[in-house]
């Protein structure tokens, strides 16, 4: 009989939820193309429009402002472009400013040239430095076009919540656009694109129990739009051509619906489990460092360092103990290296860190299994100064 494992890597991907799976099976039974005008096509269109409303409700947006894509990376590449239009008139974006802790999908700058991308520092606590952002915007050369700023709502490694509304105020004072990566915020804190005062928001299906390969770009309006990244038949009102991933979109909608409905109870449960985990870690190893513990975080994420334990060594050790966790973002084809987030926070470049992230199906037994593994791994560390 196989030894039970604890899956604690929900920030990398969430297991497909029952609601999403059921909705997708129903979608597979519909033969029509949502762009067709016959009865079968109209039935598919009804289901697709329902999913659009469900995802819009998750983002606090209007359904007509939701553009479906193949995932958050495509959504980021769609919106991160110097070429926009305001109605029918072209609108130039002169420079992109990104926080130093952004996901690589944002940090790479999308369709901007590297010379058009600048990083904004964060504080040692892992929060974007609003004074630095204000200074960068004050020095922006408006002759090249408007500034665009990208700030994530929740960091994917630390779980730290960023002051997006405050950043929006600075950006809009300069007439710029604000793009918010809310991938790790969905299902963990309330989302409202209007309250955040964001111009665009990026979301991903598989982080909330929907299928992989589906994402959205959400806007606050339809007047201002980025130049299309994929051209063809004009689906998604011309913003993203290509036949829609119909079953995936329907699954995303069902997962979004469940995330909204269960938000309060999920957060309460995860906060209790996270506190149980971190209290146990501190009791087992007094030198453990929990990054971001001094500022506001989402309830499901613990990013920690055990001095003397390298990230790769720790990740393998936990896996052998039956615990799935990560050494940060799961976006580099399995590569484990120094966290750019910790580097931006001013931490020792040799400091290793591991991320435990919880989800709606996480149990107290999972936490206890992770703590038992933590105790054994912490006890096998090399003496100070000798990395494991």
């Amino acid at each position: 009989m196989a030894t039970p494992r604890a899956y604690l890597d929900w920030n990398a991907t969430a297991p497909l939820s029952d609601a999403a799976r059921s909705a997708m099976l129903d979608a597979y039974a519909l033969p029509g193309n949502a762009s067709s005008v016959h009865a079968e096509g109209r039935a598919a269109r009804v289901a697709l429009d329902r999913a659009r409303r469900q995802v819009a409700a998750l983002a606090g947006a209007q359904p007509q402002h939701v553009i479906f894509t193949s995932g958050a990376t495509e959504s980021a590449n769609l919106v991160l472009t110097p070429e926009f239009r305001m109605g029918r008139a072209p609108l130039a974006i002169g420079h992109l400013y990104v926080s130093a802790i952004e996901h690589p999908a944002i940090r790479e700058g999308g369709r901007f040239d590297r010379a058009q991308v600048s990083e904004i520092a964060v504080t040692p606590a892992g929060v974007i430095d609003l004074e630095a952002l204000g200074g960068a915007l004050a020095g922006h050369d408006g002759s090249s076009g408007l500034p665009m700023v990208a700030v994530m709502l929740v960091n994917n490694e630390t779980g730290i919540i960023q002051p997006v509304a405050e950043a929006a105020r600075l950006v809009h004072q300069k007439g710029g656009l604000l793009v918010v990566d809310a991938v790790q915020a969905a299902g963990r804190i309330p989302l409202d694109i209007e309250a955040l005062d964001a111009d665009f928001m990026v979301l991903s299906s598989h982080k909330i129990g929907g299928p992989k390969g589906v994402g959205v770009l959400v806007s606050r309006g339809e007047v201002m739009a980025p130049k299309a990244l994929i051209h063809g038949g004009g689906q998604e009102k011309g913003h993203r051509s290509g036949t829609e991933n119909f079953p995936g979109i329907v699954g995303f909608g069902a997962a979004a619906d469940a995330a909204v409905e269960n938000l309060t109870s999920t957060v309460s449960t995860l906060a209790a489990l996270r506190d149980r985990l971190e209290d146990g870690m501190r009791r087992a190893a007094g030198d453990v460092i929990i990054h971001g513990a001094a500022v506001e975080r989402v309830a499901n994420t613990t990013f920690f360092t055990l001095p003397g334990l390298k990230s790769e060594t720790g990740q393998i050790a936990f896996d052998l103990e039956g615990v799935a966790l990560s050494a940060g973002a799961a976006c580099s084809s399995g590569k484990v290296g120094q966290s750019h987030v910790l580097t931006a926070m001013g931490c020792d470049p040799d400091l290793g860190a591991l991320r435990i992230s919880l989800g709606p199906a996480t149990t107290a037994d999972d936490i206890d299994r992770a703590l038992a593994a933590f105790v054994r791994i912490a006890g096998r560390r090399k003496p100070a100064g000798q990395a494991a």
Side-chain angles (χ1 to χ4, degrees):
M1 183 175 179
T3 303
R5 289 180 58 85
Y7 182 75
L8 300 177
D9 200 15
W10 289 69
N11 283 11
T13 193
L16 188 67
S17 70
D18 291 341
R21 181 180 291 106
S22 177
M24 292 175 71
L25 289 174
D26 290 342
Y28 279 117
L30 295 175
N33 185 319
S35 296
S36 299
V37 298
H38 47 58
E40 289 82 358
R42 295 197 303 274
R45 174 58 60 183
V46 167
L48 191 147
D49 287 345
R50 181 189 306 116
R52 198 183 303 276
R53 291 193 300 272
Q54 291 168 320
V55 174
L58 174 67
Q62 297 299 314
Q64 65 269 30
H65 300 159
V66 171
I67 303 169
F68 285 110
T69 67
S70 66
T73 296
E74 184 190 326
S75 296
N77 279 267
L78 171 58
V79 72
L80 299 181
T81 174
E83 296 182 85
F84 268 70
R85 58 178 172 81
M86 178 74 77
R88 295 185 178 181
L91 179 68
I93 309 297
H95 203 84
L96 172 64
Y97 304 88
V98 301
S99 83
I101 57 171
E102 295 299 306
H103 187 281
I106 299 290
R107 288 182 76 217
E108 288 298 312
R111 290 181 277 175
F112 284 91
D113 291 336
R114 292 306 303 174
Q116 295 176 287
V117 182
S118 298
E119 283 195 355
I120 304 299
V122 299
T123 69
V127 178
I128 186 171
D129 188 331
L130 293 174
E131 186 174 343
L133 174 60
L137 290 170
H140 174 76
D141 179 8
S143 65
S144 63
L146 298 176
M148 174 181 283
V149 175
V151 180
M152 63 194 342
L153 183 52
V154 170
N155 182 259
N156 53 302
E157 295 190 9
T158 63
I160 293 173
I161 300 172
Q162 300 297 314
V164 166
E166 292 87 341
R169 178 178 54 81
L170 297 174
V171 174
H172 293 147
Q173 283 177 351
K174 192 67 176 179
L177 304 181
L178 178 66
V179 176
V180 175
D181 171 0
V183 166
Q184 297 292 347
R188 293 160 193 168
I189 58 176
L191 292 182
D192 188 329
I193 192 171
E194 295 288 344
L196 291 172
D197 203 18
D199 297 290
F200 295 92
M201 178 183 287
V202 173
L203 294 171
S204 176
S205 167
H206 74 102
K207 305 295 188 179
I208 61 168
K212 301 174 182 69
V214 188
V216 292
L217 177 65
V218 183
S219 67
R220 288 180 66 192
E222 293 183 286
V223 175
M224 187 162 44
K227 181 180 179 181
L229 180 64
I230 298 177
H231 303 273
Q235 290 86 349
E236 296 298 295
K237 297 184 178 180
H239 298 300
R240 202 280 186 184
S241 291
T243 300
E244 297 90 347
N245 175 2
F246 177 59
I249 288 171
V250 170
F252 189 5
D257 205 29
V260 172
E261 181 178 354
N262 301 324
L263 178 63
T264 301
S265 60
T266 297
V267 170
S268 176
T269 299
L270 294 184
L273 290 173
R274 195 269 309 271
D275 290 347
R276 176 175 180 158
L277 171 69
E278 294 184 356
D279 289 345
M281 292 168 65
R282 292 188 179 101
R283 287 194 299 270
D287 59 344
V288 67
I289 303 168
I290 297 177
H291 302 285
V295 293
E296 188 178 10
R297 294 177 292 162
V298 288
N300 84 311
T301 303
T302 296
F303 194 44
F304 69 95
T305 290
L306 266 174
L309 182 69
K310 291 182 178 180
S311 299
E312 186 171 14
T313 302
Q315 188 173 16
I316 294 171
F318 273 98
D319 189 41
L320 292 174
E321 292 277 357
V323 178
L325 47 66
S326 73
C331 56
S332 302
S333 301
K335 293 182 289 184
V336 177
Q338 167 65 21
S339 163
H340 76 278
V341 175
L342 291 183
T343 299
M345 293 167 64
C347 296
D348 184 337
D350 295 324
L351 200 63
L354 297 169
R355 182 186 68 191
I356 289 177
S357 49
L358 318 179
T362 303
T363 66
D365 285 345
D366 292 329
I367 299 302
D368 291 343
R369 188 171 293 116
L371 283 173
F374 180 89
V375 170
R376 289 189 287 270
I377 293 167
R380 297 198 296 262
R381 285 180 295 166
K382 300 291 185 181
Q386 299 181 35

